[in-house]
Amino acid sequence: MKIAKTIVLIIAFPAIIGCAGISGRLPAPAEPVASGEFNSGAAKVDITPIPGYPMGGYAIAGYISRGVWTRLYARAVSFEDPEGRSMVIVSADLWAMPAGLADRVAELVARKHGIERLSREQMILAATHTHNGPGNFSSSKFYNQMASLEGGFDRALFDFLADRIAWAIAESWKKREPAAVRYAQGQVPGIARNRSIGPFKKNGSDALELIESNKGLPVRKTDFPIGGDKAYMAIDQTLRMIKIQSATRGGELIAALAFYAVHPTVMNTTTRVYSSDIFGVATSIVENSLHAAGRGTPVVAMINGAEGDVAANWKRRDREETIEIGRLLSTGILDLIEGPGSDITGPIKYSFGESRLSELTGPASGASTLCGAEADWSFLRDAGFYEGMKQEDPERQMPGQWVKRNPLKDDIESNMIKSAYPWIVKNVMRPPASVPIGVYGIGPVTIATLPGEFTTVLGKRIAKAVARERSERGPVLLAGLANEYISYFCTREEYAEQHYEGASMIYGPSAGERIRDDLAGLAKTMDGKEPRLKSRKYRYSTGSGKSFGVKQFDLVSHQDRLKAFHYTLDGLLRGGENSLPVTDNPRFIWIDDNPRWSDYRSSKLSPMPAVAVEVLSPDGWKRLKVDGIDETDEGTDFVTAVVASLIDKTRWSTIWIPPASVESDPVLREAEYRFVVRGNTGLFISPPFTIESARAKSGLTGVARKPVERES
């Protein structure tokens, strides 16, 4: 192996120096209090952090966030049956949901918010798996080092996320009202494709059955080079929904939980702003359209599923395509919301436990992990890593890992790395040894949690195993990336092929079967006597601590800085026939104090600026509405980012991408607009502009150096 590859691997496996941790105590829950009614409530809380964090999910191929396009949210839905048994489901726009974060949230819900009837065991906390949310908040030092561009655990970010998610749960609990719960499902083709078709085909009749079930569905072909038409059929295209309607307000929708399995990663690795990607686009469209139609303010949450080998059906990986795919998904969600569904209002049950994966074997990642997923390869593929790298020699195989090839032993010639290998295994390869798992029931519907990224066929096998053990006969839904994250899980047949997913199953070929059997065991005990829960301590080693956030940028000329600003956001700003960055959309620049976490510890405001556009009407300045929806950065038309920072001051820029309905309307094109920004220290307002006048000035509408109104 060449020295360049050795250097890359040294970067990929950094040393962990120092030690940090989180700990606390989960109180014993209070006894249920019967109300005689089924109650439910929902809430949505902004969890978009301060810029300057490495984004989680793309590992060293990712970037540092400069701002936001499509904000990040935690959406929570609480349930309580007539006997007072309760549970809560949370969807958070994060790359993963660490067990330590889930524990801290549960502790805050009880101690800070005084909700003593919701225990940790009664919570499903799931990540959507966007790769453009922050990293470095894991309760595992392994993922704090390996999941993002820079290693380290940021306690301020961890505390912020825990506070905001706990607040979402508390708000959903306070909003409980008499409710009815319905279940619906339908096919939503065109969203996704199987990205690991070779290993998928090794699953025999399970693979053939799934492909056969998708015949006749429309295929939205892109340029995916592997697998042909079967790549579009080797997935579960079913959208499953739990919808909650008010029993006292004419059946008004309270919330919808949409379960769909796909990597929500249309925006590519070079995206340098936070984004909730296609899940955020879809839920924003649905929530806003329902609100604009006078249907209240329902919460629509996406719960991912067995998406380990499922990629979004992307081609260009830019903003326009993200909106296009998100809109397809939103149409499927709206169809199920408007459809009838079956009544599943019934008793709430749960069974919670732990799967001890370290009993199977010591943890190890395989060589093919480093090449990345098929057609979404990492730069290490050019260094010689590829799909299917195996160790066939039984005498050289790692104990318990079968044909998995060890890159540190088999692919590196450096004696330094070889001699350091035992230290690396002990200090770097330390993912969680066990994972919390749970099975939950709402009437006849069962929800099983998956602590990572499970392939399609493994998910099908788990759902069947859980269904066999439940006395209630109804659909089994899979909540992926829930309650903990421990990389990939696949079938034994897929593991034998050692593609990206199999090489990334850390605890060997039986790990997927272990989770399947443990979930089935929980399902078997779920209808029995409820356990008496006790107070318990939790403690996690997070690795070395590090602080991130807005930092001083290099001093460069304003022109160079502006050019770099637009071209580093090209996936969001490109357009036209040549797909080049559009640099003349209206934009507003303001200078503010650097955002600090301390300013938001007791505030419900987001640490990211909030942006809106107003239009001049005969009655004065009014919030612009597009198709009945306020034109704000809660939608998809704004990119807000840091241009530069120096001596505790930050220069921000927000770019408005006028929607087609504005661009095509002569009256709206000639109307006067202004930006209104809620910044860190107050309200910033741009000078009035028209779309044409802004473009005549390369998009610039003005620069504000101080707020027109200070925050009190």
Side-chain angles (χ1 to χ4, degrees), residues 628-650:
I629 299 167
D630 285 352
E631 186 70 344
T632 74
D633 64 353
E634 293 185 22
T636 60
D637 299 333
F638 294 86
V639 182
T640 301
V642 172
V643 179
S645 183
L646 179 65
I647 315 176
D648 295 327
K649 292 289 183 180
T650 298

Side-chain angles (χ1 to χ4, degrees), residues 237-258:
Q237 305 196 62
T238 308
L239 176 68
R240 299 168 174 87
M241 179 177 289
I242 296 173
K243 50 184 177 179
I244 305 96
Q245 296 170 288
S246 172
T248 60
R249 292 185 286 119
E252 184 175 294
L253 187 69
I254 295 171
L257 293 163

Side-chain angles (χ1 to χ4, degrees), residues 294-307:
R295 307 270 297 272
T297 55
V299 172
V300 180
M302 291 298 310
I303 309 294
N304 218 325
E307 47 68 78

Side-chain angles (χ1 to χ4, degrees), residues 493-571:
E493 297 94 324
E494 291 165 341
Y495 184 91
E497 298 304 297
Q498 281 299 293
H499 285 225
Y500 178 71
E501 294 79 16
S504 300
M505 187 157 72
I506 292 173
Y507 283 107
S510 302
E513 295 166 357
R514 169 63 67 90
I515 298 291
R516 179 200 64 194
D517 294 344
D518 287 348
L519 284 169
L522 291 176
K524 190 172 185 177
T525 64
M526 191 167 119
D527 297 311
K529 187 178 180 181
E530 292 184 16
R532 292 189 63 84
L533 302 174
K534 299 179 180 180
S535 173
R536 64 176 175 86
K537 293 180 179 180
Y538 64 87
R539 183 174 184 82
Y540 299 87
S541 176
T542 59
S544 57
K546 189 171 181 179
S547 295
F548 296 92
V550 175
K551 297 178 181 178
Q552 182 170 318
F553 281 64
D554 291 339
L555 291 175
V556 295
S557 73
H558 178 69
Q559 197 65 31
D560 287 345
R561 187 187 303 134
L562 210 54
K563 182 179 178 181
F565 178 75
H566 281 91
Y567 278 84
T568 57
L569 301 176
D570 68 328

Side-chain angles (χ1 to χ4, degrees), residues 104-157:
R104 178 59 58 84
V105 167
E107 182 181 17
L108 290 172
V109 168
R111 298 193 186 281
K112 182 176 179 179
H113 296 282
I115 304 172
E116 298 178 345
R117 286 158 48 200
L118 272 177
S119 71
R120 169 69 186 86
E121 291 80 359
Q122 293 161 280
M123 298 181 181
I124 300 175
L125 290 95
T128 61
H129 200 48
T130 175
H131 283 26
N132 289 306
N136 305 88
F137 60 88
S138 180
S139 50
S140 162
K141 64 182 179 181
F142 175 64
Y143 291 112
N144 282 326
Q145 288 297 123
M146 304 302 294
S148 52
L149 177 63
E150 296 183 21
F153 170 70
D154 191 292
R155 186 176 296 275
L157 174 63

Side-chain angles (χ1 to χ4, degrees), residues 97-393:
M97 180 56 65
L101 179 59
D103 283 353
R104 178 59 58 84
V105 167
E107 182 181 17
L108 290 172
V109 168
R111 298 193 186 281
K112 182 176 179 179
H113 296 282
I115 304 172
E116 298 178 345
R117 286 158 48 200
L118 272 177
S119 71
R120 169 69 186 86
E121 291 80 359
Q122 293 161 280
M123 298 181 181
I124 300 175
L125 290 95
T128 61
H129 200 48
T130 175
H131 283 26
N132 289 306
N136 305 88
F137 60 88
S138 180
S139 50
S140 162
K141 64 182 179 181
F142 175 64
Y143 291 112
N144 282 326
Q145 288 297 123
M146 304 302 294
S148 52
L149 177 63
E150 296 183 21
F153 170 70
D154 191 292
R155 186 176 296 275
L157 174 63
F158 176 89
D159 290 341
F160 168 76
L161 293 174
D163 277 335
R164 292 296 170 109
I165 297 171
W167 175 32
I169 293 173
E171 289 293 305
S172 73
W173 184 259
K174 292 175 187 175
K175 292 179 179 179
R176 286 169 302 146
E177 61 177 291
V181 187
R182 293 186 172 276
Y183 175 78
Q185 68 178 52
Q187 300 295 308
V188 186
I191 304 292
R193 62 188 177 223
N194 192 298
R195 70 181 192 185
S196 192
I197 192 71
F200 170 87
K201 289 180 180 178
K202 297 296 182 180
N203 289 303
S205 60
D206 286 334
L208 293 174
E209 178 185 317
L210 188 58
I211 290 175
E212 189 68 26
S213 70
N214 284 316
K215 284 186 176 178
L217 290 176
V219 175
R220 176 178 165 269
K221 293 184 180 180
T222 53
D223 293 337
F224 187 63
I226 299 166
D229 286 355
K230 283 187 171 60
Y232 304 98
M233 295 186 286
I235 57 173
D236 184 354
Q237 305 196 62
T238 308
L239 176 68
R240 299 168 174 87
M241 179 177 289
I242 296 173
K243 50 184 177 179
I244 305 96
Q245 296 170 288
S246 172
T248 60
R249 292 185 286 119
E252 184 175 294
L253 187 69
I254 295 171
L257 293 163
F259 293 73
Y260 194 84
V262 62
H263 268 81
T265 52
V266 176
M267 295 306 299
N268 63 24
T269 59
T270 61
T271 303
R272 304 192 187 197
V273 292
Y274 302 125
S275 168
S276 47
D277 215 281
I278 55 172
F279 280 1
V281 170
T283 52
S284 173
I285 289 172
V286 176
E287 289 174 341
N288 287 333
S289 61
L290 291 173
H291 181 60
R295 307 270 297 272
T297 55
V299 172
V300 180
M302 291 298 310
I303 309 294
N304 218 325
E307 47 68 78
D309 56 352
V310 184
N313 200 10
W314 48 259
K315 179 179 179 180
R316 302 184 310 276
R317 308 198 75 174
D318 58 15
R319 171 184 172 272
E320 289 186 358
E321 188 170 50
T322 305
I323 294 173
E324 177 187 349
I325 297 175
R327 194 172 294 280
L328 273 176
L329 184 54
S330 74
T331 300
I333 294 171
L334 281 167
D335 287 345
L336 291 186
I337 287 175
E338 302 298 347
S342 56
D343 187 6
I344 61 167
T345 311
I348 290 172
K349 299 180 180 180
Y350 72 92
S351 187
F352 188 87
E354 193 173 71
S355 191
R356 299 182 181 278
L357 297 173
S358 61
E359 294 176 351
L360 300 174
T361 181
S365 290
S368 296
T369 300
L370 298 175
C371 79
E374 293 187 60
D376 193 15
W377 296 293
S378 77
F379 61 85
L380 289 173
R381 197 170 194 269
D382 293 332
F385 291 95
Y386 55 90
E387 296 90 348
M389 296 180 73
K390 301 180 185 180
Q391 177 51 268
E392 304 282 7
D393 183 353

